[in-house]
Amino acid sequence: EFNENELFSMCESSLRKIFRATEEQNCDLVNDMPLIRNSVANIIEDYKNANLTVHYDDIEFHKFAISNYVRKDGVATVTVTASVGYFYKKIKDSKVIEGDVKFKKQTRYQCEYIYIYDETKVSSDAKVLAVNCPNCGAAISTLGHKFCEYCGTGVKEVNLKSWELSSYEEY
């Protein structure tokens, strides 16, 4: 059963977790989102290397919309756009280098969610789930792999019967 309000709620919750993870520089806060964990970890690592911190205050979600829906080869993909407002600042060496605490930033995010509705239709070499090994970072490129082909570390299986955030971007 597809429930757009439930998907919108998931989008808000996911973005709040991402904001908190980058603010606290702790990618463990997005461990329950395996498809985007590595991209968040990379952002956090870049911030740490540049001696940057970010802060999000008074986050408000204004509007959600489904901007795209595709159902093909056993995979359903839905794109949700969210308009968001927050006070944002980026700090380097105790100085605000971006953002303004007086003016609320108004922006939009695009979140893509996937759902595997028929595993038998997804080709074995399909890379619809771009999951990486939590130990070595190697790509786990196909459905059904429970171990990293490179280092042998066990990999948490993605729940294929629920919507999973596969990407997000501010635009």
Side-chain angles (χ1 to χ4, degrees):
E1 296 287 326
F2 182 81
N3 182 328
E4 73 177 13
N5 288 328
E6 189 174 306
L7 193 61
F8 296 161
S9 178
M10 279 178 28
C11 181
E12 178 176 341
S13 175
S14 297
L15 287 171
R16 285 186 186 277
K17 282 183 185 180
I18 291 165
F19 297 155
R20 185 169 164 231
T22 55
E23 190 173 62
E24 295 180 18
Q25 296 189 345
N26 181 357
C27 63
D28 290 341
L29 297 174
V30 293
N31 278 345
D32 61 338
M33 296 186 280
L35 303 179
I36 59 111
R37 185 186 186 285
N38 281 347
S39 64
V40 173
N42 289 339
I43 291 167
I44 291 169
E45 191 63 30
D46 289 346
Y47 285 166
K48 285 180 179 179
N49 290 339
N51 197 28
L52 292 171
T53 58
V54 295
H55 296 282
Y56 299 89
D57 293 313
D58 196 22
I59 301 166
E60 290 183 274
F61 287 82
H62 303 295
K63 195 173 189 181
F64 295 93
I66 294 176
S67 61
N68 194 21
Y69 179 81
V70 177
R71 189 175 158 122
K72 181 181 176 188
D73 297 330
V75 180
T77 305
V78 65
T79 305
V80 176
T81 57
S83 59
V84 185
Y86 47 70
F87 291 103
Y88 171 82
K89 58 186 172 182
K90 189 181 283 186
I91 300 168
K92 181 175 179 126
D93 302 323
S94 301
K95 294 180 184 175
V96 176
I97 62 168
E98 187 180 323
D100 190 333
V101 294
K102 296 177 186 173
F103 299 102
K104 200 169 214 181
K105 179 178 180 177
Q106 301 294 329
T107 188
R108 293 180 295 170
Y109 283 84
Q110 183 169 290
C111 298
E112 188 173 274
Y113 289 85
I114 63 170
Y115 179 91
I116 309 293
Y117 64 86
D118 188 349
E119 298 169 46
T120 63
K121 291 183 180 178
V122 179
S123 66
S124 63
D125 62 342
K127 295 185 178 184
V128 294
L129 299 176
V131 178
N132 293 76
C133 173
N135 183 46
C136 71
I140 310 297
S141 59
T142 59
L143 294 173
H145 279 120
K146 293 186 174 60
F147 295 93
C148 174
E149 295 173 10
Y150 183 74
C151 72
T153 299
V155 178
K156 178 184 170 195
E157 192 171 357
V158 176
N159 182 359
L160 302 175
K161 299 300 179 193
S162 68
W163 289 99
E164 291 283 339
L165 179 63
S166 63
S167 68
Y168 73 97
E169 68 177 323
E170 181 180 10
Y171 69 104

